[in-house]
Amino acid sequence: MRLNPRPATASGTRRLARRHPAALLALFLCSTGGALAALALPAALGHTVDGLIDGGPVPWSGLLLCAVLTLAETGFDAGAAVLGTSTTARLTAHLRTRTTARVLAAEPRDALAVPTGDLTARLTARTADAAAAPVTAAGAVAGVLLPLGAVTGLFLIDPWTAAAFLLGAPLLVALLHTFTRRTADAGADYQRAQSVIAHRLTEALDGADTIRAARTGAREYRRILEPLGALADHGRRTWTVYGRAAGQSALLLPLLMLLVLAVGGLRLHAGAIGVGDLVAASRYAALAVGIGALTGALGALARSRAAARTLDPLLTLDPLPHEGLGPLPGGPGHLEFRDVGVAQDGGPDGGPDGKPDGKPDGKPLLTEVHLTVPGGTSLAVVGRSGSGKSVFAAVAGRLLDPDTGTVLLDGVPLTAMDPALLRPEIAYAFARPALPGTTVEDTIAFGAWTADPEAVRAAARAARADGFIGLLPYGYATPLTDAPLSGGERQRLGLARAFAHPGRLLILDDALSGLDTVTEHHVRRALDERAGRCTRVIVAHRLSSAARADRVLWLEDGRVRATGPHEELWADPEYRAVFRTEAAEAEAGETGAVPPARTEVEAR
């Protein structure tokens, strides 16, 4: 597992800030401008009050200045709010795109080492929290500038009044420090509990048919919601921290204001300051005690920091290594396995001396697979459940890298090929395909390139999907949300998507299991029509699929038991028993006794 974050030269906040420097600079200027206008207003107000008390002409210039400063403060604050919201949205979109790209560029078993539900939570809620950090930091300038400027203004008016405020300043600093630390801890615990619930919910949704058949819905309900108590505790803990900080601030800040006004009143009585100075001092004291407003910004920064820590393992995933090569032009799809081995945890084992010995560690999924599939031919992969069929299919298309050995396509190692050049050459279909896109046509056209409408319809006909698509309310334009699809119909859409993106290698991972006999016959004919132009690797459970293949690979416990034409292998009673066992397991699967076939995401 390669999920340990590597040391970074710059923090995530600085990296994000470099994405939209102009917007953040404008936000900084608006926040600063609003703070400066707020700081200038008490002085202008105090001067204007003195002018009115002196009994001279009405100080219209002072009144106008106060109005302009009030409007400026309001305008700058509004601009900061708009800039903050829009910039946060753009940074969130960038961070989600960047994190998703790193996940997709990594080897699937590395990326999916994070449970699916947790991964979803990180790519949605966590990215939003982490992306808010630059905006919060830029806007926090005003939160720092206001109290510092206000204290400076108090000193300029009367040092004794300022000293009265500074008596309680250490208590405010201690309050903010405690609040920040406790908020960060509570927020991190809350996010972890959320991830557990998301993961369990995703598991239950993926296995909904099995849960329904086994009548274990109530138990799954309790299992999913079991962390809800801890989530509630962490939530209450967070609000308790907020509540205590607010309560302590509500007690401390009025006392500070009262102290400042009391000293200011005494200084006014002594003639050291005027009425205007007292008005300005009271306004500056209100701004100075506004340091308590920093608690919101500090809390947001603490959440952002906790969220960023959960994204670091994803952002530091190693991309699939390659040498920048591409498949040989015009290759027929010649596939070769050279002593391929795959272990469950995918890590190298250490020998007796503690040094790597090049052998897979953990439970072996494939062991010393040596095989050649001539270009343009078909290979059926058979074996009992757990024999390594889907692992073989994943390795053949580089959805999984072997721990030992090499896989070559037309003489070029898959690990040397640029994934962007390799993907268009390999089409996959799965037992339970994911169906991206808005409409039926979108999901068939989805792939390494967007298939045109003519190719979509030809592929649907080849997959025997055109018939039921025509019965949908809007045909190919029917939204997927309005298309009630059976398992077999979903499989046919997945097959159509693979047919619409022809390459030199087509891999069907149990993608015919949900088809009836007649439909499978027609789909097999469409596959046979690709002979000579496309190499077909078919994970087969049915006897008919193995019988029609040019060659059969018989796996047992991750090892090659035998290879050859189906007719030759059929003489072995143990080979015949494989299909009887698979038929019995398929029948049991319909009653919920065994888990359903793996989804496309699980296979990856």
Side-chain angles (χ1 to χ4, degrees), residues 424-441:
E425 301 294 336
I426 302 174
Y428 261 99
F430 297 88
R432 294 167 61 196
L435 300 179
T438 304
T439 65
V440 172
E441 182 170 352

mmCIF file of all heavy atoms in Angstrom, residues 424-441:
data_model
loop_
_atom_site.group_PDB
_atom_site.id
_atom_site.type_symbol
_atom_site.label_atom_id
_atom_site.label_comp_id
_atom_site.label_asym_id
_atom_site.label_seq_id
_atom_site.Cartn_x
_atom_site.Cartn_y
_atom_site.Cartn_z
ATOM 1 N N PRO A 424 -7.003 3.472 -24.830
ATOM 2 C CA PRO A 424 -7.853 3.313 -26.019
ATOM 3 C C PRO A 424 -7.721 1.948 -26.685
ATOM 4 O O PRO A 424 -8.573 1.588 -27.505
ATOM 5 C CB PRO A 424 -7.360 4.433 -26.956
ATOM 6 C CG PRO A 424 -6.710 5.428 -26.059
ATOM 7 C CD PRO A 424 -6.093 4.625 -24.964
ATOM 8 N N GLU A 425 -6.664 1.203 -26.350
ATOM 9 C CA GLU A 425 -6.440 -0.089 -26.977
ATOM 10 C C GLU A 425 -7.130 -1.229 -26.234
ATOM 11 O O GLU A 425 -7.131 -2.363 -26.719
ATOM 12 C CB GLU A 425 -4.932 -0.374 -27.051
ATOM 13 C CG GLU A 425 -4.137 0.664 -27.835
ATOM 14 C CD GLU A 425 -4.497 0.659 -29.313
ATOM 15 O OE1 GLU A 425 -4.971 -0.390 -29.795
ATOM 16 O OE2 GLU A 425 -4.304 1.685 -29.976
ATOM 17 N N ILE A 426 -7.680 -0.945 -25.048
ATOM 18 C CA ILE A 426 -8.271 -2.014 -24.227
ATOM 19 C C ILE A 426 -9.690 -1.617 -23.844
ATOM 20 O O ILE A 426 -9.915 -0.527 -23.309
ATOM 21 C CB ILE A 426 -7.434 -2.262 -22.961
ATOM 22 C CG1 ILE A 426 -5.992 -2.640 -23.331
ATOM 23 C CG2 ILE A 426 -8.055 -3.363 -22.110
ATOM 24 C CD1 ILE A 426 -5.068 -2.770 -22.152
ATOM 25 N N ALA A 427 -10.631 -2.492 -24.121
ATOM 26 C CA ALA A 427 -12.026 -2.280 -23.720
ATOM 27 C C ALA A 427 -12.393 -3.343 -22.689
ATOM 28 O O ALA A 427 -11.995 -4.503 -22.800
ATOM 29 C CB ALA A 427 -12.952 -2.365 -24.928
ATOM 30 N N TYR A 428 -13.145 -2.910 -21.679
ATOM 31 C CA TYR A 428 -13.564 -3.786 -20.583
ATOM 32 C C TYR A 428 -15.083 -3.836 -20.512
ATOM 33 O O TYR A 428 -15.764 -2.848 -20.797
ATOM 34 C CB TYR A 428 -13.043 -3.263 -19.245
ATOM 35 C CG TYR A 428 -11.793 -3.911 -18.724
ATOM 36 C CD1 TYR A 428 -10.553 -3.301 -18.902
ATOM 37 C CD2 TYR A 428 -11.846 -5.115 -18.036
ATOM 38 C CE1 TYR A 428 -9.393 -3.885 -18.403
ATOM 39 C CE2 TYR A 428 -10.694 -5.706 -17.534
ATOM 40 C CZ TYR A 428 -9.477 -5.094 -17.717
ATOM 41 O OH TYR A 428 -8.346 -5.679 -17.228
ATOM 42 N N ALA A 429 -15.607 -4.980 -20.094
ATOM 43 C CA ALA A 429 -17.014 -5.096 -19.708
ATOM 44 C C ALA A 429 -17.060 -5.946 -18.448
ATOM 45 O O ALA A 429 -16.304 -6.911 -18.313
ATOM 46 C CB ALA A 429 -17.843 -5.727 -20.825
ATOM 47 N N PHE A 430 -17.965 -5.582 -17.514
ATOM 48 C CA PHE A 430 -17.999 -6.206 -16.202
ATOM 49 C C PHE A 430 -19.377 -6.796 -15.912
ATOM 50 O O PHE A 430 -20.367 -6.491 -16.581
ATOM 51 C CB PHE A 430 -17.642 -5.184 -15.118
ATOM 52 C CG PHE A 430 -16.248 -4.637 -15.227
ATOM 53 C CD1 PHE A 430 -15.986 -3.523 -16.005
ATOM 54 C CD2 PHE A 430 -15.199 -5.251 -14.572
ATOM 55 C CE1 PHE A 430 -14.706 -3.015 -16.112
ATOM 56 C CE2 PHE A 430 -13.912 -4.757 -14.671
ATOM 57 C CZ PHE A 430 -13.659 -3.640 -15.449
ATOM 58 N N ALA A 431 -19.415 -7.626 -14.876
ATOM 59 C CA ALA A 431 -20.675 -8.257 -14.490
ATOM 60 C C ALA A 431 -21.687 -7.216 -14.023
ATOM 61 O O ALA A 431 -22.874 -7.298 -14.354
ATOM 62 C CB ALA A 431 -20.419 -9.294 -13.390
ATOM 63 N N ARG A 432 -21.246 -6.250 -13.258
ATOM 64 C CA ARG A 432 -22.116 -5.179 -12.758
ATOM 65 C C ARG A 432 -21.479 -3.847 -13.123
ATOM 66 O O ARG A 432 -20.824 -3.213 -12.319
ATOM 67 C CB ARG A 432 -22.318 -5.311 -11.253
ATOM 68 C CG ARG A 432 -23.096 -6.557 -10.842
ATOM 69 C CD ARG A 432 -23.009 -6.803 -9.345
ATOM 70 N NE ARG A 432 -23.565 -5.692 -8.589
ATOM 71 C CZ ARG A 432 -23.330 -5.507 -7.286
ATOM 72 N NH1 ARG A 432 -22.549 -6.341 -6.620
ATOM 73 N NH2 ARG A 432 -23.876 -4.497 -6.657
ATOM 74 N N PRO A 433 -21.648 -3.403 -14.365
ATOM 75 C CA PRO A 433 -20.925 -2.218 -14.835
ATOM 76 C C PRO A 433 -21.445 -0.938 -14.207
ATOM 77 O O PRO A 433 -22.639 -0.801 -13.936
ATOM 78 C CB PRO A 433 -21.182 -2.231 -16.345
ATOM 79 C CG PRO A 433 -22.492 -2.925 -16.488
ATOM 80 C CD PRO A 433 -22.516 -3.973 -15.397
ATOM 81 N N ALA A 434 -20.535 -0.012 -13.978
ATOM 82 C CA ALA A 434 -20.944 1.347 -13.622
ATOM 83 C C ALA A 434 -21.492 2.009 -14.874
ATOM 84 O O ALA A 434 -21.022 1.757 -15.984
ATOM 85 C CB ALA A 434 -19.755 2.128 -13.077
ATOM 86 N N LEU A 435 -22.504 2.853 -14.711
ATOM 87 C CA LEU A 435 -23.159 3.489 -15.854
ATOM 88 C C LEU A 435 -23.049 5.003 -15.732
ATOM 89 O O LEU A 435 -23.983 5.672 -15.287
ATOM 90 C CB LEU A 435 -24.627 3.060 -15.942
ATOM 91 C CG LEU A 435 -24.881 1.552 -16.120
ATOM 92 C CD1 LEU A 435 -26.371 1.268 -16.160
ATOM 93 C CD2 LEU A 435 -24.187 1.021 -17.367
ATOM 94 N N PRO A 436 -21.904 5.578 -16.086
ATOM 95 C CA PRO A 436 -21.775 7.035 -16.035
ATOM 96 C C PRO A 436 -22.545 7.685 -17.181
ATOM 97 O O PRO A 436 -22.887 7.047 -18.176
ATOM 98 C CB PRO A 436 -20.262 7.243 -16.185
ATOM 99 C CG PRO A 436 -19.811 6.061 -16.980
ATOM 100 C CD PRO A 436 -20.689 4.919 -16.570
ATOM 101 N N GLY A 437 -22.800 8.960 -17.038
ATOM 102 C CA GLY A 437 -23.516 9.679 -18.075
ATOM 103 C C GLY A 437 -24.932 10.003 -17.651
ATOM 104 O O GLY A 437 -25.477 9.417 -16.713
ATOM 105 N N THR A 438 -25.544 10.928 -18.370
ATOM 106 C CA THR A 438 -26.894 11.367 -18.050
ATOM 107 C C THR A 438 -27.948 10.491 -18.716
ATOM 108 O O THR A 438 -28.933 10.108 -18.094
ATOM 109 C CB THR A 438 -27.095 12.829 -18.491
ATOM 110 O OG1 THR A 438 -26.085 13.640 -17.874
ATOM 111 C CG2 THR A 438 -28.464 13.336 -18.070
ATOM 112 N N THR A 439 -27.727 10.139 -19.976
ATOM 113 C CA THR A 439 -28.698 9.362 -20.733
ATOM 114 C C THR A 439 -28.120 8.000 -21.101
ATOM 115 O O THR A 439 -26.930 7.733 -20.893
ATOM 116 C CB THR A 439 -29.099 10.102 -22.021
ATOM 117 O OG1 THR A 439 -27.931 10.205 -22.870
ATOM 118 C CG2 THR A 439 -29.615 11.496 -21.713
ATOM 119 N N VAL A 440 -28.980 7.165 -21.686
ATOM 120 C CA VAL A 440 -28.533 5.846 -22.138
ATOM 121 C C VAL A 440 -27.441 5.997 -23.198
ATOM 122 O O VAL A 440 -26.437 5.283 -23.182
ATOM 123 C CB VAL A 440 -29.731 5.046 -22.692
ATOM 124 C CG1 VAL A 440 -29.259 3.758 -23.349
ATOM 125 C CG2 VAL A 440 -30.725 4.747 -21.578
ATOM 126 N N GLU A 441 -27.632 6.941 -24.114
ATOM 127 C CA GLU A 441 -26.620 7.149 -25.153
ATOM 128 C C GLU A 441 -25.303 7.616 -24.545
ATOM 129 O O GLU A 441 -24.222 7.191 -24.975
ATOM 130 C CB GLU A 441 -27.118 8.173 -26.177
ATOM 131 C CG GLU A 441 -26.132 8.404 -27.305
ATOM 132 C CD GLU A 441 -26.721 9.223 -28.440
ATOM 133 O OE1 GLU A 441 -27.938 9.483 -28.408
ATOM 134 O OE2 GLU A 441 -25.957 9.588 -29.352
#
